[in-house]
Amino acid sequence: MKLSRPVSWFLLAFGVWSWFIWITFVKNLWNDASGLAFDDAGDPTAYFWVHLLLAITSFVLGTVIGVIGLRGVRASRRDRDRG
């Protein structure tokens, strides 16, 4: 399957955006002082674990989507250089 150049760039941008957003979210989750992420004893709550799992899943999906986009961008450049 061949991706168009705009689609490839979109997928690459989505991957980068996903990493940026979720890294920021995990930092905020880790430093949470509202009592949602950690209980009074400092132990992680269910809220923390669920959101950490969401972040990890998003990192993985963002990476896969970004790599597909990167491969598409590289392929479109090779095609452009050839002909």
Side-chain angles (χ1 to χ4, degrees), residues 4-5 8-9 13 17 20 29 33 38 53 55 58-60 62-63 68 71-72 78 82:
S4 68
R5 187 175 298 153
S8 297
W9 278 108
W17 176 255
F20 174 75
L29 181 65
F38 299 96
L53 182 62
S58 294
F59 286 142
V60 170
T63 300
I68 292 169
R71 291 177 68 184
R78 277 194 307 268
R82 285 185 195 160

PDB file of all heavy atoms in Angstrom, residues 4-5 8-9 13 17 20 29 33 38 53 55 58-60 62-63 68 71-72 78 82:
ATOM      1  N   SER A   4      -0.225   8.636   0.471  1.00  0.00           N
ATOM      2  CA  SER A   4       0.059   9.929  -0.141  1.00  0.00           C
ATOM      3  C   SER A   4       0.957  10.744   0.795  1.00  0.00           C
ATOM      4  O   SER A   4       1.055  10.464   1.988  1.00  0.00           O
ATOM      5  CB  SER A   4      -1.243  10.691  -0.419  1.00  0.00           C
ATOM      6  OG  SER A   4      -1.853  11.079   0.799  1.00  0.00           O
ATOM      7  N   ARG A   5       1.597  11.725   0.257  1.00  0.00           N
ATOM      8  CA  ARG A   5       2.488  12.570   1.062  1.00  0.00           C
ATOM      9  C   ARG A   5       1.731  13.284   2.186  1.00  0.00           C
ATOM     10  O   ARG A   5       2.200  13.282   3.326  1.00  0.00           O
ATOM     11  CB  ARG A   5       3.209  13.576   0.169  1.00  0.00           C
ATOM     12  CG  ARG A   5       4.264  14.355   0.930  1.00  0.00           C
ATOM     13  CD  ARG A   5       5.066  15.274   0.048  1.00  0.00           C
ATOM     14  NE  ARG A   5       5.780  14.477  -0.945  1.00  0.00           N
ATOM     15  CZ  ARG A   5       6.143  14.920  -2.128  1.00  0.00           C
ATOM     16  NH1 ARG A   5       5.882  16.154  -2.469  1.00  0.00           N
ATOM     17  NH2 ARG A   5       6.787  14.152  -2.967  1.00  0.00           N
ATOM     18  N   SER A   8       0.925  10.776   4.912  1.00  0.00           N
ATOM     19  CA  SER A   8       2.147  10.390   5.621  1.00  0.00           C
ATOM     20  C   SER A   8       2.551  11.455   6.625  1.00  0.00           C
ATOM     21  O   SER A   8       2.899  11.144   7.773  1.00  0.00           O
ATOM     22  CB  SER A   8       3.285  10.158   4.624  1.00  0.00           C
ATOM     23  OG  SER A   8       2.981   9.093   3.766  1.00  0.00           O
ATOM     24  N   TRP A   9       2.517  12.716   6.217  1.00  0.00           N
ATOM     25  CA  TRP A   9       2.871  13.802   7.129  1.00  0.00           C
ATOM     26  C   TRP A   9       1.872  13.907   8.281  1.00  0.00           C
ATOM     27  O   TRP A   9       2.244  14.178   9.425  1.00  0.00           O
ATOM     28  CB  TRP A   9       2.973  15.135   6.388  1.00  0.00           C
ATOM     29  CG  TRP A   9       4.290  15.307   5.725  1.00  0.00           C
ATOM     30  CD1 TRP A   9       4.557  15.263   4.394  1.00  0.00           C
ATOM     31  CD2 TRP A   9       5.551  15.550   6.360  1.00  0.00           C
ATOM     32  NE1 TRP A   9       5.893  15.444   4.167  1.00  0.00           N
ATOM     33  CE2 TRP A   9       6.529  15.632   5.355  1.00  0.00           C
ATOM     34  CE3 TRP A   9       5.942  15.694   7.692  1.00  0.00           C
ATOM     35  CZ2 TRP A   9       7.868  15.854   5.637  1.00  0.00           C
ATOM     36  CZ3 TRP A   9       7.280  15.927   7.969  1.00  0.00           C
ATOM     37  CH2 TRP A   9       8.226  16.007   6.944  1.00  0.00           C
ATOM     38  N   ALA A  13       2.876  13.556  12.129  1.00  0.00           N
ATOM     39  CA  ALA A  13       2.518  14.628  13.070  1.00  0.00           C
ATOM     40  C   ALA A  13       1.660  14.093  14.218  1.00  0.00           C
ATOM     41  O   ALA A  13       1.836  14.484  15.375  1.00  0.00           O
ATOM     42  CB  ALA A  13       1.787  15.751  12.344  1.00  0.00           C
ATOM     43  N   TRP A  17       2.598  14.404  18.075  1.00  0.00           N
ATOM     44  CA  TRP A  17       1.614  15.065  18.940  1.00  0.00           C
ATOM     45  C   TRP A  17       1.204  14.152  20.089  1.00  0.00           C
ATOM     46  O   TRP A  17       1.093  14.584  21.237  1.00  0.00           O
ATOM     47  CB  TRP A  17       0.395  15.468  18.116  1.00  0.00           C
ATOM     48  CG  TRP A  17      -0.720  16.063  18.907  1.00  0.00           C
ATOM     49  CD1 TRP A  17      -1.894  15.485  19.244  1.00  0.00           C
ATOM     50  CD2 TRP A  17      -0.755  17.378  19.472  1.00  0.00           C
ATOM     51  NE1 TRP A  17      -2.664  16.354  19.978  1.00  0.00           N
ATOM     52  CE2 TRP A  17      -1.990  17.521  20.128  1.00  0.00           C
ATOM     53  CE3 TRP A  17       0.136  18.439  19.479  1.00  0.00           C
ATOM     54  CZ2 TRP A  17      -2.349  18.687  20.787  1.00  0.00           C
ATOM     55  CZ3 TRP A  17      -0.231  19.600  20.140  1.00  0.00           C
ATOM     56  CH2 TRP A  17      -1.456  19.717  20.781  1.00  0.00           C
ATOM     57  N   PHE A  20       3.918  14.119  22.694  1.00  0.00           N
ATOM     58  CA  PHE A  20       3.967  15.400  23.400  1.00  0.00           C
ATOM     59  C   PHE A  20       2.844  15.493  24.431  1.00  0.00           C
ATOM     60  O   PHE A  20       3.080  15.822  25.602  1.00  0.00           O
ATOM     61  CB  PHE A  20       3.879  16.559  22.401  1.00  0.00           C
ATOM     62  CG  PHE A  20       3.774  17.906  23.050  1.00  0.00           C
ATOM     63  CD1 PHE A  20       4.883  18.495  23.629  1.00  0.00           C
ATOM     64  CD2 PHE A  20       2.568  18.581  23.094  1.00  0.00           C
ATOM     65  CE1 PHE A  20       4.789  19.736  24.249  1.00  0.00           C
ATOM     66  CE2 PHE A  20       2.462  19.808  23.701  1.00  0.00           C
ATOM     67  CZ  PHE A  20       3.580  20.393  24.279  1.00  0.00           C
ATOM     68  N   LEU A  29       0.179  13.813  35.966  1.00  0.00           N
ATOM     69  CA  LEU A  29      -0.377  12.734  36.772  1.00  0.00           C
ATOM     70  C   LEU A  29       0.570  12.386  37.917  1.00  0.00           C
ATOM     71  O   LEU A  29       0.146  12.214  39.060  1.00  0.00           O
ATOM     72  CB  LEU A  29      -0.627  11.505  35.891  1.00  0.00           C
ATOM     73  CG  LEU A  29      -1.233  10.274  36.543  1.00  0.00           C
ATOM     74  CD1 LEU A  29      -2.654  10.576  37.018  1.00  0.00           C
ATOM     75  CD2 LEU A  29      -1.237   9.102  35.562  1.00  0.00           C
ATOM     76  N   ALA A  33      -1.459  16.589  43.073  1.00  0.00           N
ATOM     77  CA  ALA A  33      -1.600  16.849  44.510  1.00  0.00           C
ATOM     78  C   ALA A  33      -3.065  16.922  44.919  1.00  0.00           C
ATOM     79  O   ALA A  33      -3.371  17.231  46.064  1.00  0.00           O
ATOM     80  CB  ALA A  33      -0.904  18.157  44.859  1.00  0.00           C
ATOM     81  N   PHE A  38      -2.962   9.754  43.920  1.00  0.00           N
ATOM     82  CA  PHE A  38      -2.326   9.134  45.083  1.00  0.00           C
ATOM     83  C   PHE A  38      -3.199   9.359  46.313  1.00  0.00           C
ATOM     84  O   PHE A  38      -3.749  10.442  46.499  1.00  0.00           O
ATOM     85  CB  PHE A  38      -0.929   9.726  45.310  1.00  0.00           C
ATOM     86  CG  PHE A  38       0.002   9.494  44.158  1.00  0.00           C
ATOM     87  CD1 PHE A  38       0.190  10.466  43.186  1.00  0.00           C
ATOM     88  CD2 PHE A  38       0.680   8.295  44.026  1.00  0.00           C
ATOM     89  CE1 PHE A  38       1.036  10.249  42.117  1.00  0.00           C
ATOM     90  CE2 PHE A  38       1.522   8.059  42.957  1.00  0.00           C
ATOM     91  CZ  PHE A  38       1.706   9.039  41.994  1.00  0.00           C
ATOM     92  N   LEU A  53      -2.136   3.369  32.271  1.00  0.00           N
ATOM     93  CA  LEU A  53      -2.362   2.386  31.210  1.00  0.00           C
ATOM     94  C   LEU A  53      -2.820   3.064  29.920  1.00  0.00           C
ATOM     95  O   LEU A  53      -2.371   2.700  28.822  1.00  0.00           O
ATOM     96  CB  LEU A  53      -3.383   1.340  31.663  1.00  0.00           C
ATOM     97  CG  LEU A  53      -3.695   0.225  30.673  1.00  0.00           C
ATOM     98  CD1 LEU A  53      -2.441  -0.590  30.367  1.00  0.00           C
ATOM     99  CD2 LEU A  53      -4.781  -0.672  31.239  1.00  0.00           C
ATOM    100  N   ALA A  55      -2.066   6.101  29.019  1.00  0.00           N
ATOM    101  CA  ALA A  55      -0.897   6.798  28.493  1.00  0.00           C
ATOM    102  C   ALA A  55       0.053   5.833  27.792  1.00  0.00           C
ATOM    103  O   ALA A  55       0.543   6.125  26.697  1.00  0.00           O
ATOM    104  CB  ALA A  55      -0.176   7.540  29.614  1.00  0.00           C
ATOM    105  N   SER A  58      -1.387   4.839  24.514  1.00  0.00           N
ATOM    106  CA  SER A  58      -1.270   5.942  23.567  1.00  0.00           C
ATOM    107  C   SER A  58       0.162   6.135  23.085  1.00  0.00           C
ATOM    108  O   SER A  58       0.384   6.488  21.929  1.00  0.00           O
ATOM    109  CB  SER A  58      -1.790   7.238  24.190  1.00  0.00           C
ATOM    110  OG  SER A  58      -3.172   7.126  24.411  1.00  0.00           O
ATOM    111  N   PHE A  59       1.147   5.911  23.961  1.00  0.00           N
ATOM    112  CA  PHE A  59       2.550   5.958  23.532  1.00  0.00           C
ATOM    113  C   PHE A  59       2.808   4.909  22.455  1.00  0.00           C
ATOM    114  O   PHE A  59       3.423   5.190  21.426  1.00  0.00           O
ATOM    115  CB  PHE A  59       3.505   5.687  24.691  1.00  0.00           C
ATOM    116  CG  PHE A  59       3.657   6.811  25.674  1.00  0.00           C
ATOM    117  CD1 PHE A  59       3.773   6.541  27.025  1.00  0.00           C
ATOM    118  CD2 PHE A  59       3.706   8.129  25.268  1.00  0.00           C
ATOM    119  CE1 PHE A  59       3.928   7.567  27.947  1.00  0.00           C
ATOM    120  CE2 PHE A  59       3.855   9.158  26.176  1.00  0.00           C
ATOM    121  CZ  PHE A  59       3.963   8.875  27.519  1.00  0.00           C
ATOM    122  N   VAL A  60       2.328   3.695  22.702  1.00  0.00           N
ATOM    123  CA  VAL A  60       2.551   2.608  21.745  1.00  0.00           C
ATOM    124  C   VAL A  60       1.859   2.907  20.416  1.00  0.00           C
ATOM    125  O   VAL A  60       2.472   2.812  19.343  1.00  0.00           O
ATOM    126  CB  VAL A  60       2.075   1.256  22.329  1.00  0.00           C
ATOM    127  CG1 VAL A  60       2.082   0.165  21.272  1.00  0.00           C
ATOM    128  CG2 VAL A  60       2.946   0.858  23.513  1.00  0.00           C
ATOM    129  N   GLY A  62       0.796   5.828  19.283  1.00  0.00           N
ATOM    130  CA  GLY A  62       1.407   7.009  18.674  1.00  0.00           C
ATOM    131  C   GLY A  62       2.719   6.677  17.997  1.00  0.00           C
ATOM    132  O   GLY A  62       3.022   7.184  16.920  1.00  0.00           O
ATOM    133  N   THR A  63       3.493   5.796  18.617  1.00  0.00           N
ATOM    134  CA  THR A  63       4.765   5.377  18.024  1.00  0.00           C
ATOM    135  C   THR A  63       4.524   4.606  16.735  1.00  0.00           C
ATOM    136  O   THR A  63       5.164   4.875  15.713  1.00  0.00           O
ATOM    137  CB  THR A  63       5.568   4.517  19.013  1.00  0.00           C
ATOM    138  OG1 THR A  63       5.828   5.296  20.185  1.00  0.00           O
ATOM    139  CG2 THR A  63       6.874   4.057  18.417  1.00  0.00           C
ATOM    140  N   ILE A  68       4.705   4.570  10.831  1.00  0.00           N
ATOM    141  CA  ILE A  68       4.055   4.391   9.528  1.00  0.00           C
ATOM    142  C   ILE A  68       4.132   5.684   8.728  1.00  0.00           C
ATOM    143  O   ILE A  68       4.454   5.675   7.536  1.00  0.00           O
ATOM    144  CB  ILE A  68       2.591   3.931   9.708  1.00  0.00           C
ATOM    145  CG1 ILE A  68       2.553   2.513  10.268  1.00  0.00           C
ATOM    146  CG2 ILE A  68       1.826   4.008   8.390  1.00  0.00           C
ATOM    147  CD1 ILE A  68       1.172   2.072  10.734  1.00  0.00           C
ATOM    148  N   ARG A  71       7.754   6.258   7.534  1.00  0.00           N
ATOM    149  CA  ARG A  71       8.066   5.389   6.398  1.00  0.00           C
ATOM    150  C   ARG A  71       7.406   5.907   5.120  1.00  0.00           C
ATOM    151  O   ARG A  71       7.994   5.861   4.040  1.00  0.00           O
ATOM    152  CB  ARG A  71       7.623   3.964   6.695  1.00  0.00           C
ATOM    153  CG  ARG A  71       8.481   3.322   7.776  1.00  0.00           C
ATOM    154  CD  ARG A  71       8.020   1.947   8.119  1.00  0.00           C
ATOM    155  NE  ARG A  71       8.257   1.050   6.993  1.00  0.00           N
ATOM    156  CZ  ARG A  71       7.882  -0.207   6.970  1.00  0.00           C
ATOM    157  NH1 ARG A  71       7.243  -0.725   7.994  1.00  0.00           N
ATOM    158  NH2 ARG A  71       8.136  -0.953   5.924  1.00  0.00           N
ATOM    159  N   GLY A  72       6.182   6.423   5.249  1.00  0.00           N
ATOM    160  CA  GLY A  72       5.498   6.999   4.088  1.00  0.00           C
ATOM    161  C   GLY A  72       6.188   8.245   3.570  1.00  0.00           C
ATOM    162  O   GLY A  72       6.321   8.438   2.356  1.00  0.00           O
ATOM    163  N   ARG A  78      11.815   9.239  -1.706  1.00  0.00           N
ATOM    164  CA  ARG A  78      12.558   8.383  -2.625  1.00  0.00           C
ATOM    165  C   ARG A  78      11.914   8.391  -4.010  1.00  0.00           C
ATOM    166  O   ARG A  78      12.591   8.479  -5.018  1.00  0.00           O
ATOM    167  CB  ARG A  78      12.602   6.946  -2.094  1.00  0.00           C
ATOM    168  CG  ARG A  78      13.683   6.707  -1.074  1.00  0.00           C
ATOM    169  CD  ARG A  78      13.900   5.224  -0.836  1.00  0.00           C
ATOM    170  NE  ARG A  78      12.685   4.506  -0.502  1.00  0.00           N
ATOM    171  CZ  ARG A  78      12.240   4.279   0.723  1.00  0.00           C
ATOM    172  NH1 ARG A  78      12.935   4.709   1.759  1.00  0.00           N
ATOM    173  NH2 ARG A  78      11.124   3.609   0.935  1.00  0.00           N
ATOM    174  N   ARG A  82      13.618   9.829  -7.500  1.00  0.00           N
ATOM    175  CA  ARG A  82      13.827   8.928  -8.635  1.00  0.00           C
ATOM    176  C   ARG A  82      13.264   9.493  -9.921  1.00  0.00           C
ATOM    177  O   ARG A  82      13.765   9.202 -10.999  1.00  0.00           O
ATOM    178  CB  ARG A  82      13.149   7.583  -8.380  1.00  0.00           C
ATOM    179  CG  ARG A  82      13.866   6.726  -7.411  1.00  0.00           C
ATOM    180  CD  ARG A  82      13.190   5.389  -7.310  1.00  0.00           C
ATOM    181  NE  ARG A  82      13.648   4.698  -6.134  1.00  0.00           N
ATOM    182  CZ  ARG A  82      13.019   3.719  -5.552  1.00  0.00           C
ATOM    183  NH1 ARG A  82      11.864   3.293  -6.038  1.00  0.00           N
ATOM    184  NH2 ARG A  82      13.509   3.149  -4.484  1.00  0.00           N
TER     185      ARG A  82
END
